[in-house]
Amino acid sequence: MSPAAGIAPPVLLAVLGAALLHASWNALLKRHGEPLPATVLVVAGAAIVAIVLLPFLPAPAPASWPFIAASSAVQTIYYLLLIATYRDGEVSHAYPLMRGVAPLLVALANGPLTGERLSGGQWGAMLLICGGVLVQWLTARGATAQGARRTTAFALLTAGVIAAYTLIDGRGVRLSGAPAAYTLWIFLLTGAAVCLCTVRGRARTLAAFARANPLVAPLGGLATVGSYGIALWAMTRAPVAAVAALRETSILFATAIAAFILRERIGRTRLAAVALIACGAAAMRLG
C-alpha cells in the first residue's frame, strides 16, 4: 500500500508541506546556536498565533479541557527536552529518533489501552525502527561518543513524551467538538508554561536574541501551528493512517536540511539509519 493511497493531490501536497514545516522549525532551533532562546521564541510565536485566532473559533467542549491541560503539561516537558536534545546534538541524529520512535511507542501503548494487537506489518516496522536506533547508537565513536549517546538518550526520552501527548490528544480532540480551538488552546497554554519555566533570569538575553533574529518568533510560530493544523485538516479529507505515514517524510526533510543548510556531516551509515527509521515509522502508521 502506498502512503499516498486514498489522498487527493492537493491534500498530498499539503501534507508534504506540513512535514517540511515541521522539519524546518526544528532546524531553526539548531541553526541559531543555543536552542533555548530560539525555542522560547518559537513557542511564544505559536501562542501569539493562538491568541489572534481563538476569539473567532468555538470553544472546545467541557469534557476535553482535562485533556487540554494534560497535553499542555506534557508538551511543556517536550519543549524543555527539545532544548536539552539540540544543545549538543545534531538534527540529523536527534530528529529521526524523536519522530521515528514515537509511532512505535504509541502502537505499543495502544494495545493495553484499547486491546488492539500489533499486526504482522507493525512487528516488521518495529524491527526497522529498532534497527535504525541501534545503528544510530553504534555510530557514536571516538571523542564525540559520549555526547552522541547523550543526544540519543534525550531523543528517545523526547520520543516517549511525543507518544504521551499523541495518546492524550487522540482522545481529547475527539471530545472537543472543535479540533482547531482544541489545538490552539494547547499552543497557548504550552507557550505560557515554557516561558514561565525559562524566561526568569534570561529576559535580557532573550530580548537581545529576539532583536537580532526578528523572524524566529513569527516564522517558527506559524510553522509549528501550520504543520499541526494542516495535518489535522488532512485527516478530515483522507485516511488517517495514510496521512500519518506521509507525515513521516519530515524525517527525510530534516536530514536534507541538516546536510545542506546546517552543514552537518552525514555519512552513509547514518543515512542508512535514517532510512530504516523513516520506513519503519511510515510502515507503523500504515499498519
Side-chain angles (χ1 to χ4, degrees):
M1 178 179 179
S2 167
I7 302 182
V11 180
L12 173 67
L13 292 175
V15 176
L16 289 173
L20 178 58
L21 284 175
H22 193 279
S24 297
W25 76 256
N26 269 256
L28 191 67
L29 304 186
K30 185 66 179 176
R31 186 177 185 183
H32 292 280
E34 172 58 46
L36 189 149
T39 301
V40 173
L41 289 184
V42 167
V43 297
I48 291 171
V49 172
I51 290 171
V52 171
L53 296 179
L54 278 172
F56 303 99
L57 298 171
S64 69
W65 280 99
F67 293 88
I68 291 174
S71 180
S72 299
V74 174
Q75 292 203 45
T76 299
I77 297 171
Y78 162 69
Y79 282 107
L80 297 178
L81 281 173
L82 211 57
I83 292 169
T85 302
Y86 284 142
R87 182 170 289 127
D88 301 315
E90 295 181 330
V91 171
S92 61
H93 180 176
Y95 190 93
L97 293 175
M98 292 187 292
R99 303 310 307 183
V101 173
L104 166 62
L105 298 178
V106 169
L108 290 174
N110 203 40
L113 291 174
T114 66
E116 294 180 359
R117 296 183 178 181
L118 292 179
S119 66
Q122 286 178 315
W123 281 109
M126 184 189 302
L127 292 176
L128 288 173
I129 295 171
C130 291
V133 172
L134 182 62
V135 172
Q136 287 276 42
W137 183 268
L138 293 177
T139 53
R141 298 174 180 169
T144 62
Q146 185 174 358
R149 288 177 177 171
R150 175 182 176 276
T151 298
T152 299
F154 271 118
L156 294 176
L157 186 58
T158 305
V161 174
I162 292 171
Y165 75 66
T166 299
L167 291 168
I168 292 169
D169 288 339
R171 174 65 174 161
V173 75
R174 290 181 177 88
L175 294 173
S176 71
Y182 176 93
T183 305
L184 288 172
W185 271 109
I186 291 173
F187 279 119
L188 176 56
L189 296 176
T190 301
V194 171
C195 288
L196 285 174
C197 291
T198 57
V199 170
R200 186 177 179 181
R202 300 186 179 93
R204 291 185 179 179
T205 302
L206 290 169
F209 184 88
R211 287 193 297 269
N213 303 278
L215 296 180
V216 170
L219 293 184
L222 287 171
T224 187
V225 173
S227 65
Y228 200 52
I230 290 170
L232 288 177
W233 168 80
M235 288 177 186
T236 67
R237 298 290 188 273
V240 172
V243 172
L246 197 58
R247 283 191 73 202
E248 303 309 337
T249 56
S250 65
I251 294 173
L252 305 179
F253 285 129
T255 303
I257 291 171
F260 296 108
I261 297 179
L262 301 180
R263 301 296 181 184
E264 294 180 5
R265 297 182 63 183
I266 304 174
R268 292 181 180 179
T269 305
R270 180 171 291 182
L271 280 176
V274 169
L276 285 173
I277 293 170
C279 291
M284 181 65 70
R285 297 288 197 182
L286 289 172

